[in-house]
Amino acid sequence: MSDIAHRKTEHLDLCRDGEVESGADSGLSRYRLVYRALPELDLADVDLRTRIAGKTLRAPLIIGAMTGGTDEARRVNRILAQGAQLRGIGLALGSARIVLERPESASSFEVRDVAPDVLLFANLGAVQLNRGITGDDAARLVELLGADALNLHLNPLQEAIQPEGDTCFRGLGERMAEAIPRIPVPVFVKEVGAGIGPETAALLACLPLAGVETAGVGGTSWARIEALRQRDPKAWAAGMALAGFGVPTAESVLACREAFPDRTVIASGGLRTPVEMATCLALGADAVAAALPFLKAASEGLDALLAAIDAMVHTLRILCFVTGARTPVELRGRVAAVDRSR
Ligand SMILES: Cc1cc2nc3c(=O)[nH]c(=O)nc-3n(C[C@H](O)[C@H](O)[C@H](O)COP(=O)(O)O)c2cc1C
């Protein structure tokens, strides 16, 4: 097994069975959706359909980027893809760098036969653009996987905890500016759980991106996951110390919406309940994504995954109704800061 495949296996095992969340505050509990006892709507009027990257989702929900590269990853990806297809939500694949190194691993990302209509994101680490991977390589990947969009992920904290990590992020903005126009689908930048703050969002807004995904602090922590994989005591100590470090999801959503007023903002990072998801939509996100909860559900099989999606979407619909929002866009602004002094 290659080093990357070995790492992917460890990541999946840890995420399914380990304690990989930081427990840090996503900041969302500082906001409260505004309940309307007189919503002046029929529940049946609520329409959750949302257009992202040129495709219409039945609800503003995306299964976050996770895996690929091994036989087990293929099994997981295909369950996630079937769930996304049956429920009309989006699916983001995990980093496909391994496909550029070992083309035979492409089958672990192959989902188009079971998910022909799904909004599908391919994924690459942006830092790989500093390691010889080009915009044309990314374009080839997108075509090979039949993806509708590409996520470039930023993960400096994760890479710094991994002793084998790629830590040269110098000049990456310029590399992305060169690469993005070569990619024939909408390109997004995402974090992996440490969030995108105002300064980063402002820099990213100068790039020809379709949008951003926050992946803020509050859920899965890649500093913690990398710590759990390490035998080196100082790598372990750094990962544990920095597990909740970064930009909380609520702050990240506000920062990204401000920097990207007319582009797509996907909220993610620790979204575990429909109330948290709806709060992100009210704070300005166009759609929401979650990773770990869908991995856990898919580990129990397709029925469990469908039940998890159905529960989220059903409750989101009710939340729109009782806040008087006919659509997710109408939810925007229907939120109040919680007064903690009382
Ligand atoms: C098993 C697993 C693998 C992941 N692999 C990737 C990846 O390859 N690329 C990426 O951009 N994000 C990856 N992520 C990060 C997620 O896309 C997401 O940003 C992060 O987990 C925060 O969301 P959550 O709190 O809902 O899990 C992975 C997450 C998990 C749980």
Side-chain angles (χ1 to χ4, degrees), residues 36-188:
R36 285 201 188 179
L38 185 61
E40 291 288 1
L41 267 184
D42 183 334
L43 176 59
D45 295 337
V46 173
D47 182 355
L48 294 179
R49 281 177 304 172
T50 299
R51 218 165 153 74
I52 302 285
K55 278 207 164 160
T56 302
L57 307 178
R58 262 186 255 157
L61 184 60
I62 295 167
I63 299 177
M66 284 188 274
T67 199
T70 64
D71 290 346
E72 178 54 13
R74 173 182 161 89
R75 203 184 65 77
V76 171
N77 274 339
R78 292 176 74 78
I79 293 174
L80 295 172
Q82 288 171 68
Q85 171 74 23
L86 286 167
R87 293 301 184 257
I89 63 169
L91 171 66
L93 297 167
S95 170
R97 170 184 155 202
I98 192 169
V99 176
L100 296 174
E101 291 176 17
R102 296 179 52 230
E104 68 276 14
S105 67
S107 69
S108 62
F109 294 89
E110 205 174 77
V111 294
R112 269 300 182 212
D113 57 325
V114 293
D117 308 311
V118 154
L119 166 64
L120 187 67
F121 292 78
N123 184 299
L124 263 183
V127 72
Q128 298 309 318
L129 298 173
N130 266 354
R131 306 250 322 171
I133 287 178
T134 63
D136 291 339
D137 293 326
R140 269 196 299 121
L141 257 187
V142 161
E143 196 191 338
L144 186 70
L145 306 186
D148 302 297
L150 175 72
N151 275 323
L152 289 174
H153 69 257
L154 294 173
N155 60 342
L157 179 59
Q158 177 188 8
E159 297 285 354
I161 307 290
Q162 273 181 28
E164 74 276 23
D166 292 318
T167 50
C168 180
F169 278 64
R170 197 183 304 121
L172 205 49
E174 213 175 301
R175 275 316 88 64
M176 286 196 278
E178 288 157 10
I180 294 165
R182 316 277 313 165
I183 302 166
V185 292
V187 178
F188 291 72

Side-chain angles (χ1 to χ4, degrees), residues 5 133 145 172 197 223 229 263-264 277 334:
I133 287 178
L145 306 186
L172 205 49
R229 291 179 54 233
R263 289 181 268 176
T264 301
M277 292 175 172
R334 294 184 189 218

Side-chain angles (χ1 to χ4, degrees), residues 12 15 64-66 94-95 123 153 190-192 213 215 219-220 222 269-270 272 290-293 295:
L12 259 192
C15 286
M66 284 188 274
S95 170
N123 184 299
H153 69 257
K190 73 183 284 293
E191 235 287 342
V192 300
E213 182 189 323
T220 307
W222 283 89
R272 301 293 178 260
L292 194 65
L295 175 66

Side-chain angles (χ1 to χ4, degrees), residues 5-36:
H6 181 68
R7 192 160 69 232
K8 301 255 177 192
T9 303
E10 280 190 352
H11 286 162
L12 259 192
D13 289 350
L14 274 170
C15 286
R16 279 199 287 224
D17 305 324
E19 190 45 70
V20 297
E21 297 189 83
S22 63
D25 185 6
S26 68
L28 291 167
S29 63
R30 277 177 228 150
Y31 299 91
R32 163 178 76 73
L33 290 166
V34 179
Y35 177 72
R36 285 201 188 179

